[in-house]
Amino acid sequence: GNVVGVYHGTDPSAKRLLTGSHYDTVRNGGKYDGRLGIFVPMACVRELHRQGRRLPYGFEVVGFSEEEGQRYKAVFLGSGALTGTFNTAWLGQKDVDGISMREAMEHAGLCPDDISKLKRDASKYLGFVEVHIEQGPVLNALDLPLGVVTSINGSVRFAGLIQGMASHAGTTPMGTRRDAAAAAAELTLFVEQRGAAVPDLVATVGMLEVPNGSTNVVPGRCKFSLDIRATTNSVRDACATDIQNELARICERRGLSYTLEETMRAAAAPSAPDWQNRWEAAVQSLGLPGFQMPSGAGHDAMKLHEIMPQAMLFMRGLNAGISHNPLEAITNDDTDLCVRAFQHLLDQLATELS
Ligand code: GLV
Ligand code: MN
Ligand code: MN
């Protein structure tokens, strides 16, 4: 489901610059998460075309499908295909309506058996750059339109299920209940405290569900999700271990059982210094400070990081940078600066290569 455009360079044998971002969104998300990183390079291509100009290198712009991992327990489907890490076992996964990923892809006119052909040969690329909204409050608070990413936080996600005993809410004494939702609530509070205890660590229970629950039934099952991120893999993993241990303790004490399935793991991705420098120079060429910051959110760049150098440019979001929310907002002026910064990077690269 990726959508790919190539603005060919003057030398067809030259290594290409790869860019892009995702076009899927979270449920009830905003308009710019992902899409900005597709439209900004497209605007650059339009301007190059208008000037009748070709770069010495090819410029490949990808609209990645399925970065967010909403419908299936899998993320980075599109960018993972480019790195050759699309897990074909995912094709058998079913969504909440029982539709497998393979069926969904075929319904969309895609050919799942061709996914392996999308793998890119990293030796044919200069690197990967990605433009994205910041999705946080930092640039907005500093009144800065652009920021240069130093590293993308590592993350891990789990899908959990706590099993207790469904029973009558009116007759089951409080002392003999095996309430799966109360255990999940206890775990959620632990997750919040554990995440808050360390700087640059965040931990979230984003989904909680009592399947087929009723007002008058003690919850027999509770499903939950867990998302943990940190600037280093070790801080992330220490948090995950503590949460797993706490889950075991809570379930033991309450007479419950549980399963916890890891659904995603992405290593922290530090920016390649030379690409980060190019973004800094591009931002500074606009008379702005080359402000550096880490990325708390995950991005397709984390995936491309596995096979080639990468660096990202952030653009400020309004409304305190809120994202994964329809209140997500940007300005035309900031977007114009972003396009100009990207044009500068393209030109600088052309100069370096010639
Ligand atoms: C993607 O938006 C993520 O960071 O979860
Ligand atoms: Mn997102
Ligand atoms: Mn995004």
Side-chain angles (χ1 to χ4, degrees), residues 37-325:
I38 305 169
F39 283 117
V40 166
M42 282 172 72
C44 293
V45 169
R46 185 178 63 178
E47 183 58 17
L48 286 166
H49 179 69
R50 195 186 63 77
Q51 295 172 5
R53 237 186 99 202
R54 292 275 162 186
L55 298 162
Y57 52 90
F59 182 37
E60 184 169 337
V61 185
V62 185
F64 291 110
S65 70
E66 296 294 321
E67 182 257 12
E68 304 276 11
Q70 299 284 290
R71 186 169 176 179
Y72 298 97
K73 283 183 245 161
V75 291
F76 300 129
L77 303 194
S79 43
L82 265 65
T83 60
T85 50
F86 183 96
N87 181 355
T88 47
W90 289 337
L91 293 167
Q93 269 190 36
K94 299 214 161 110
D95 70 5
V96 286
D97 298 317
I99 299 168
S100 73
M101 188 189 288
R102 177 180 289 278
E103 286 161 352
M105 290 182 79
E106 283 168 352
H107 181 74
L110 306 172
C111 180
D113 295 330
D114 283 349
I115 291 171
S116 59
K117 296 184 194 155
L118 302 182
K119 184 172 187 302
R120 296 298 195 271
D121 174 357
S123 70
K124 299 206 161 72
Y125 289 89
L126 295 160
F128 179 76
V129 289
E130 180 173 354
V131 167
H132 206 283
I133 51 166
E134 179 206 329
Q135 306 184 275
V138 176
L139 293 173
N140 194 59
L142 292 171
D143 199 22
L144 286 175
L146 302 174
V148 178
V149 176
T150 51
S151 179
I152 308 170
N153 286 356
S155 59
V156 63
R157 293 184 188 173
F158 298 89
L161 172 67
I162 299 177
Q163 302 250 28
M165 177 64 78
S167 60
H168 198 294
T171 59
T172 315
M174 294 308 290
T176 63
R177 295 178 175 210
R178 291 165 61 205
D179 185 331
E186 212 180 307
L187 183 73
T188 304
L189 290 175
F190 179 82
V191 168
E192 184 184 42
Q193 284 161 16
R194 183 62 179 77
V198 179
D200 295 326
L201 169 71
V202 288
T204 308
V205 175
M207 295 198 292
L208 275 170
E209 187 195 349
V210 177
N212 302 316
S214 299
T215 314
N216 54 355
V217 178
V218 175
R221 294 198 308 153
C222 187
K223 289 184 178 177
F224 63 95
S225 66
L226 182 58
D227 178 307
I228 306 167
R229 310 185 191 211
T231 35
T232 65
N233 297 336
S234 55
V235 168
R236 172 201 66 186
D237 294 343
C239 176
T241 302
D242 283 358
I243 291 171
Q244 283 169 24
N245 290 340
E246 182 65 13
L247 174 61
R249 271 194 295 271
I250 292 169
C251 289
E252 163 92 50
R253 174 163 41 79
R254 290 174 170 271
L256 309 169
S257 62
Y258 70 90
T259 56
L260 191 65
E261 180 196 355
E262 184 177 306
T263 56
M264 179 268 199
R265 175 174 287 267
S271 303
D274 50 341
W275 287 99
Q276 188 184 318
N277 288 343
R278 287 189 187 97
W279 277 131
E280 273 166 37
V283 171
Q284 284 162 353
S285 78
L286 302 169
L288 297 165
F291 180 75
Q292 301 178 359
M293 60 184 301
S295 169
H299 300 288
D300 291 299
M302 302 175 90
K303 225 40 218 169
L304 276 302
H305 180 83
E306 292 169 8
I307 61 165
M308 62 179 82
Q310 60 78 27
M312 296 185 67
L313 178 68
F314 270 178
M315 194 180 98
R316 132 176 85 188
L318 306 186
N319 298 325
I322 194 166
S323 185
H324 285 182
N325 185 305

